[in-house]
Amino acid sequence: MSTRQHNAWFSIREPLAPGKQKLLTLLSFLGPIFTWCFVSYVPFVWHPDMKLDLSATRSDVTTVFTAGDHLSKAYFPSFVKAIREDNQRILQQQLGELPVEEPAPRVRRSNLNNLRHLTPLALRQGWLQSSEKDDTEALLALWQRIASAPSGDRTFRALSEENLAIIRSNSKRIDAHFASSNSQRLPSMPLLKLVPQGRPANPVYLPAPHEVLQRGWKEFTKVPDPGKPSMLDRLRHSIWIVFAGFALACVIGVPLGILCGTFDFFSKLFEPFIDFFRYLPAPSFSTLLVAIFLAHDAPKIALVFVGTFFQLVLVVSKTTQLLDKSLLEAALTLGAGKKSLLTRVVVPGILPNLYNDLRILLGWSWTWLVIAELIGVKSGLTEFIETQGRWRNFDAVFPVIFTIGFVGFFTDQLLAQLRGFFFPWTGEKLHPLIRGLSAAHHWLVGNRLPYEPGSQMRSRR
């Protein structure tokens, strides 16, 4: 290979230079992350929704929006308009031009709810502490503090001028009522509603990266409620389901695949039915598996087994068939029997490729996790995903999905690095850490120097 070809970005069936390979590997991860950040943080890109920082309760609809909810940009102006119309009617009631038809206790409850609409924004801006979240007196004190803030004070700049004027007006009415009557803290006359405020946002199913990180850290570090599993407990359970189902498929499928790939008798006896069965969708057996294995972990493991086993047999069979036939002929020439051919030629000959097959099929097993954990009694990470997704808390769903991906990816990378350790004759370059382990292993069990690609195994003796 010429240096020019090696340095070219596009050479047919030629590897790139190591530096270029690392750069492209880095870009393959950074590209999606950059796109996600670009769509999330650049205001003029997409952002079809408005995320409420400050909400209000409309009098003409039963739907209640709270801070953090997403409204479409088309609906948000009509929401604001409806609240302003409500405030016009309240002003007329305060001036005596319209009667107050609701009883006083109900009006006071409504006034208190209107005051509490400020709480989420106050917590986010640090105007209230989390311990004061449900403290009415602290909330009233905050309203007074905002109302008495001098003009031009930037402390409460998160509030619009319209809302600052509403807060001043309401505070005067609350003070006047409290001065005339100590029996009730809030007046029986309706108070003006805060006008909704929001900021452009993407749909709720695409939270920003920092929101996903914050929520993921919160979920994985919080102390669970009594009797409830922590996120690490859920992760361990999900790993158990995947590896148990995969191990069971390997125990049965690998020997059967080797037999099918070695003997035409087994191939014709098993492969036609397996080839047919692998097209049957594994989730369609979920109710049957629950009926057979009841509702806990057994049907979940069985589903991973069903989803993996049939593919595994065919892949192992194909790998066995690809073994160099000259090795078999050489062994036969030397007088090897069928048992020796199978155990001393076929199995050792296919092990490196079989190892790769199992790596790929382990990744295949992970794809059945979510469906498996939904059947019977919901459990593991999937139960969390399903619950949070139902409540549209997608900032909590993404960290769990990424966790599954990270566990699967790093498991595969670890197995890929260990391939050179398990099969040194393949000549694969070892990671320095794996090479150190390999050296220690050879020193302990064989008193030999580790294998170096391109050289023969050396012995110290």
Side-chain angles (χ1 to χ4, degrees):
M1 183 195 320
S2 68
T3 304
R4 185 176 179 182
Q5 285 178 322
H6 192 66
N7 291 331
W9 284 99
F10 302 98
S11 297
I12 297 176
R13 304 204 60 172
E14 293 293 344
L16 291 170
K20 292 179 178 177
Q21 291 180 11
K22 291 179 181 177
L23 175 62
L24 292 177
T25 301
L26 188 63
L27 287 176
S28 71
F29 285 93
L30 293 181
I33 294 174
F34 173 79
T35 304
W36 187 15
C37 292
F38 182 73
V39 172
S40 299
Y41 297 129
V42 180
F44 53 82
V45 177
W46 201 22
H47 290 72
D49 289 354
M50 293 292 288
K51 185 175 182 178
L52 290 178
D53 290 329
L54 194 62
S55 187
T57 304
R58 288 179 62 167
S59 60
D60 56 340
V61 297
T62 57
T63 304
V64 177
F65 298 108
T66 59
D69 286 348
H70 286 235
L71 305 180
S72 69
K73 281 186 176 177
Y75 176 74
F76 183 74
S78 62
F79 183 39
V80 173
K81 181 181 178 184
I83 298 300
R84 285 173 176 156
E85 290 174 352
D86 285 349
N87 281 343
Q88 286 295 325
R89 188 170 56 257
I90 291 171
L91 279 174
Q92 290 178 306
Q93 290 173 336
Q94 291 176 351
L95 295 172
E97 297 174 0
L98 286 176
V100 179
E101 298 177 349
E102 296 178 332
R106 187 171 179 179
V107 173
R108 291 193 181 95
R109 285 198 299 273
S110 178
N111 284 338
L112 182 57
N113 287 334
N114 290 336
L115 297 181
R116 284 177 173 166
H117 278 303
L118 183 64
T119 301
L121 181 62
L123 290 172
R124 193 157 62 88
Q125 294 291 330
W127 303 337
L128 284 178
Q129 302 300 315
S130 57
S131 58
E132 299 172 322
K133 179 180 178 182
D134 300 318
D135 188 341
T136 303
E137 289 302 322
L139 179 62
L140 286 169
L142 172 64
W143 275 68
Q144 293 297 333
R145 199 162 73 245
I146 297 174
S148 58
S151 179
D153 188 339
R154 302 281 295 168
T155 306
F156 305 108
R157 61 183 179 278
L159 290 167
S160 66
E161 289 298 326
E162 184 178 15
N163 278 326
L164 287 172
I166 289 173
I167 289 174
R168 293 188 191 104
S169 173
N170 285 347
S171 294
K172 286 181 182 176
R173 286 196 169 271
I174 293 172
D175 287 346
H177 170 78
F178 191 58
S180 62
S181 171
N182 287 325
S183 59
Q184 295 291 339
R185 192 69 175 86
L186 295 175
S188 57
M189 179 64 68
L191 296 173
L192 294 173
K193 301 177 181 179
L194 293 171
V195 176
Q197 289 181 213
R199 59 183 186 279
N202 284 328
V204 67
Y205 56 78
L206 185 63
H210 76 279
E211 295 174 335
V212 172
L213 289 173
Q214 290 172 350
R215 187 61 183 269
W217 176 259
K218 177 183 176 184
E219 295 296 339
F220 277 88
T221 55
K222 79 175 183 182
V223 178
D225 296 332
K228 296 290 185 182
S230 67
M231 291 302 291
L232 291 180
D233 293 334
R234 293 180 184 277
L235 178 59
R236 281 193 288 268
H237 183 270
S238 296
I239 292 174
W240 154 248
I241 295 295
V242 171
F243 278 80
F246 178 71
L248 189 60
C250 288
V251 167
I252 303 174
V254 170
L256 183 58
I258 293 175
L259 288 175
C260 290
T262 306
F263 301 101
D264 199 41
F265 171 83
F266 292 105
S267 175
K268 294 299 183 289
L269 180 62
F270 291 110
E271 286 195 32
F273 176 75
I274 291 174
D275 200 23
F276 155 75
F277 204 92
R278 71 188 176 110
Y279 288 103
L280 303 182
S284 63
F285 294 94
S286 57
T287 53
L288 178 62
L289 295 174
V290 170
I292 297 173
F293 298 109
L294 303 182
H296 291 284
D297 287 352
K300 307 176 196 303
I301 295 172
L303 184 69
V304 175
F305 171 83
V306 171
T308 308
F309 172 77
F310 300 97
Q311 310 289 343
L312 187 147
V313 172
L314 296 178
V315 170
V316 173
S317 174
K318 187 65 176 176
T319 297
T320 306
Q321 292 171 10
L322 292 176
L323 179 67
D324 190 352
K325 200 170 182 179
S326 62
L327 295 175
L328 298 174
E329 293 171 349
L332 285 171
T333 304
L334 295 173
K338 292 181 181 177
K339 183 179 177 181
S340 296
L341 279 176
L342 186 63
T343 59
R344 304 186 67 176
V345 179
V346 174
V347 173
I350 67 169
L351 276 180
N353 290 332
L354 176 63
Y355 184 84
N356 277 346
D357 292 341
L358 296 184
R359 273 181 51 212
I360 295 170
L361 288 162
L362 177 59
W364 179 279
S365 299
W366 275 100
T367 63
W368 296 111
L369 173 67
V370 172
I371 299 173
E373 288 189 325
L374 284 177
I375 68 174
V377 178
K378 296 174 185 173
S379 61
L381 295 175
T382 305
E383 181 192 18
F384 184 84
I385 291 174
E386 199 271 340
T387 303
Q388 297 298 323
R390 195 187 323 142
W391 292 103
R392 300 178 69 77
N393 296 328
F394 292 100
D395 55 339
V397 170
F398 273 87
V400 180
I401 295 175
F402 290 152
T403 298
I404 295 174
F406 286 140
V407 171
F409 177 77
F410 285 116
T411 302
D412 182 74
Q413 292 301 305
L414 177 61
L415 293 175
Q417 293 296 332
L418 287 173
R419 186 173 185 268
F421 172 74
F422 290 136
F423 312 107
W425 61 88
T426 58
E428 293 186 14
K429 187 177 180 181
L430 295 178
H431 188 278
L433 178 60
I434 303 298
R435 181 170 173 76
L437 293 174
S438 176
H441 172 264
H442 283 285
W443 185 81
L444 288 173
V445 303
N447 197 24
R448 290 180 174 182
L449 292 175
Y451 179 82
E452 293 182 358
S455 66
Q456 300 296 320
M457 185 73 75
R458 294 173 294 171
S459 173
R460 288 179 175 175
R461 294 179 179 175

